[in-house]
């Protein structure tokens, strides 16, 4: 990959802007990978005592989420080389955005009994662990490492995103709890998670369209050769 910038329509994006865009994109990817877990941690007490009383939510969530994510990452260590990174990321993000809504819906008592809502929420969280902490993390790391030689320390920006996710969740949780209460804070956390994952999907599609995330020289979405890939 060269440094001549991207082309969008008839306008060339300068190299400096293209570099900065990639840094922001991989920081966003890092935030997206860890933010669902950070949101679950911040809302765990409320969901255990208020939303799912007597369902052992805290005891079940942590081992389930971590077991699924670690198992998926372990499998991807062997299968990741056979997957195209940007295609894997495109496969993982859309269901992740939908799965964020599952525990959010299960917060409301009108949906059903606490036990049923708890199981549905746990299933949604397990799906998040599989798609986000497992598949999307694997794809993002592959992309960051592959592009690092030409575009700079993108893995470092990805790691920065992982760190930022905890700060974002803590700030949103603290501020909204103080202003509107704990239930509103939990809803805001899941809404933030869905928004960040949606932004990551848009950034991913932008990179694919430009060709910068593609393995070959030809962009699969636009059918045009990206200047970044040509140089």
């Amino acid at each position: 990959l060269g440094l001549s910038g991207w082309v969008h329509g008839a306008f060339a994006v300068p190299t400096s802007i293209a570099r900065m865009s990639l840094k922001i994109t991989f920081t966003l990817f890092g935030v997206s990978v860890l933010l669902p877990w950070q949101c679950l941690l911040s809302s765990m007490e409320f969901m255990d005592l208020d939303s799912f009383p007597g369902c052992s939510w805290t005891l079940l969530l942590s081992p389930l989420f971590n077991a699924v994510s670690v198992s998926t990452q372990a499998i991807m260590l062997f299968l990741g080389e056979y997957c195209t990174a940007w295609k894997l990321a495109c496969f993982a993000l859309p269901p992740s955005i939908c799965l964020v809504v599952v525990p959010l819906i299960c917060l409301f008592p009108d949906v059903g009994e606490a036990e049923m809502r708890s199981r549905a929420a746990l299933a949604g969280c397990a799906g998040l662990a599989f798609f986000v902490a497992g598949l999307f993390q694997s794809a993002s790391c592959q992309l960051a490492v592959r592009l690092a030689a030409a575009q700079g320390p993108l893995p470092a920006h990805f790691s920065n995103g992982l760190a930022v996710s905890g700060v974002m969740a803590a700030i949103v949780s603290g501020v909204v709890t103080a202003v509107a209460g704990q239930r509103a804070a939990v809803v805001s956390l899941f809404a933030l998670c869905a928004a960040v994952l949606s932004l990551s999907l848009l950034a991913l599609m932008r990179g694919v369209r430009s060709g910068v995330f593609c393995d070959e020289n030809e962009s699969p979405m636009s059918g045009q050769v990206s200047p970044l890939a040509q140089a």
Side-chain angles (χ1 to χ4, degrees):
L1 294 178
L3 302 176
S4 57
W6 297 341
V7 171
H8 296 281
F11 300 96
V13 179
T15 298
S16 58
I17 298 179
R19 277 182 174 274
M20 182 58 65
S21 178
L22 272 178
K23 293 177 182 179
I24 295 173
T25 294
F26 278 93
T27 302
L28 181 63
F29 286 173
V31 173
S32 298
V33 165
L34 204 54
L35 186 60
W37 175 240
Q38 296 290 354
C39 290
L40 289 171
L41 282 179
S42 298
S43 60
M44 191 174 292
E45 180 180 359
F46 174 82
M47 298 176 82
D48 188 41
L49 300 177
D50 187 277
S51 299
F52 313 126
C55 297
S56 303
W57 172 261
T58 301
L59 293 177
L60 294 174
L61 174 64
S62 182
L64 174 65
F65 191 98
N66 288 294
V68 173
S69 61
V70 171
S71 298
T72 307
Q73 291 171 25
I75 293 172
M76 293 309 297
L77 287 175
F78 301 97
L79 299 183
E81 61 181 300
Y82 302 105
C83 302
T84 303
W86 69 267
K87 291 182 180 179
L88 182 62
C90 287
F91 170 77
L93 280 177
S96 302
I97 298 169
C98 298
L99 286 168
V100 171
V101 182
V102 175
L104 179 59
I105 294 175
C106 293
L107 293 177
F108 300 96
D110 294 339
V111 175
E113 297 181 355
E115 184 69 25
M116 181 198 73
R117 290 185 288 111
S118 173
R119 291 177 181 177
L122 283 172
C125 293
L128 279 174
F130 175 73
F131 285 107
V132 180
L135 298 185
F136 182 63
Q137 179 168 213
S138 175
S140 300
C141 291
Q142 287 185 49
L143 287 172
V145 171
R146 182 167 62 82
L147 294 172
Q151 305 299 334
L154 296 179
H157 294 286
F158 180 82
S159 298
N160 290 340
L162 297 176
V164 169
S165 64
V167 177
M168 290 176 61
I171 291 175
V172 171
S173 179
V175 171
V176 180
T177 299
V179 173
Q182 201 168 10
R183 180 178 292 273
V186 173
V187 173
S188 299
L189 285 169
F190 284 107
L192 173 65
C193 190
V196 170
L197 288 170
S198 299
L199 287 174
S200 289
L201 179 59
L202 292 175
L204 176 66
M205 299 308 294
R206 179 177 180 270
V208 172
R209 182 174 176 80
S210 71
V212 70
F213 289 159
C214 302
D215 293 328
E216 294 81 18
N217 287 341
E218 185 173 338
S219 169
M221 293 188 65
S222 65
Q224 296 177 350
V225 178
S226 167
L228 268 173
Q230 278 183 326

